[in-house]
Amino acid sequence: MSATAYSTRRFSFAAGHKYWVESWPAAENERVFGRLTVPHGHNYTVDVTVRGPIDERTGMVIDLSELKRIVGETVVDRFDHADLNADALFRNRVPTTENIALVIWDLLAAKLGSERLWQVRVFEDPTLYVDVRAEDAV
Ligand code: NI
């Protein structure tokens, strides 16, 4: 009999962005996004949750140092002190908190497997966060 557990580790990075759709005229961007069209930065917090059976031998769902290494190499190293609009992953996607969570989901699912990765929660600031979950991601 093995129980499923959900284990979360928190990461952070600082990055800059603006909300802008290249194919729209400037006036349309300004109408839709307002002040968010001006480049600015955030200190993002990312909570990565993996799920799985508790290994009877180790007592763990995942080796948390392995998770730290994978998220560090895949997400933090890529986005920390980056201009998100300049990253290829945001070429045709506005770097909203929603799309940042989705992009991080895709990067991590490729490394951890979508069975093991349960949720990616991205905080833009302490008052706003977005979740992308395994049950919804296809
Ligand atoms: Ni912003």
Side-chain angles (χ1 to χ4, degrees):
M1 169 81 204
S2 68
T4 296
Y6 296 74
S7 187
T8 300
R9 186 151 198 162
R10 175 162 288 182
F11 300 85
S12 60
F13 62 87
H17 73 167
K18 65 176 182 177
Y19 286 13
W20 195 266
V21 177
E22 288 295 339
S23 59
W24 294 357
E28 181 69 357
N29 274 289
E30 278 151 20
R31 190 184 66 77
V32 173
F33 299 126
R35 292 285 297 165
L36 299 174
T37 58
V38 179
H40 60 278
H42 297 283
N43 292 310
Y44 290 97
T45 298
V46 183
D47 288 346
V48 176
T49 303
V50 294
R51 66 171 165 175
I54 300 171
D55 185 288
E56 285 181 18
R57 197 172 51 85
T58 64
M60 298 189 290
V61 172
I62 188 173
D63 179 341
L64 288 171
S65 61
E66 181 200 358
L67 181 64
K68 185 177 181 184
R69 180 184 60 76
I70 290 170
V71 179
E73 291 174 0
T74 310
V75 175
V76 178
D77 289 355
R78 180 170 190 146
F79 295 135
D80 194 30
H81 294 90
D83 169 4
L84 296 178
N85 296 81
D87 191 294
L89 290 171
F90 293 106
R91 188 156 295 149
N92 296 307
R93 274 194 278 223
V94 182
T96 58
T97 313
E98 292 88 332
N99 278 334
I100 294 167
L102 183 60
V103 159
I104 291 174
W105 171 274
D106 287 340
L107 287 169
L108 291 178
K111 301 274 176 162
L112 294 165
S114 52
E115 278 304 299
R116 209 157 49 145
L117 182 61
W118 171 246
Q119 178 174 279
V120 170
R121 171 170 289 181
V122 177
F123 291 81
E124 184 183 85
D125 64 42
T127 68
L128 169 68
Y129 67 82
V130 171
D131 296 332
V132 170
R133 269 193 209 129
E135 58 192 4
D136 308 316
V138 177

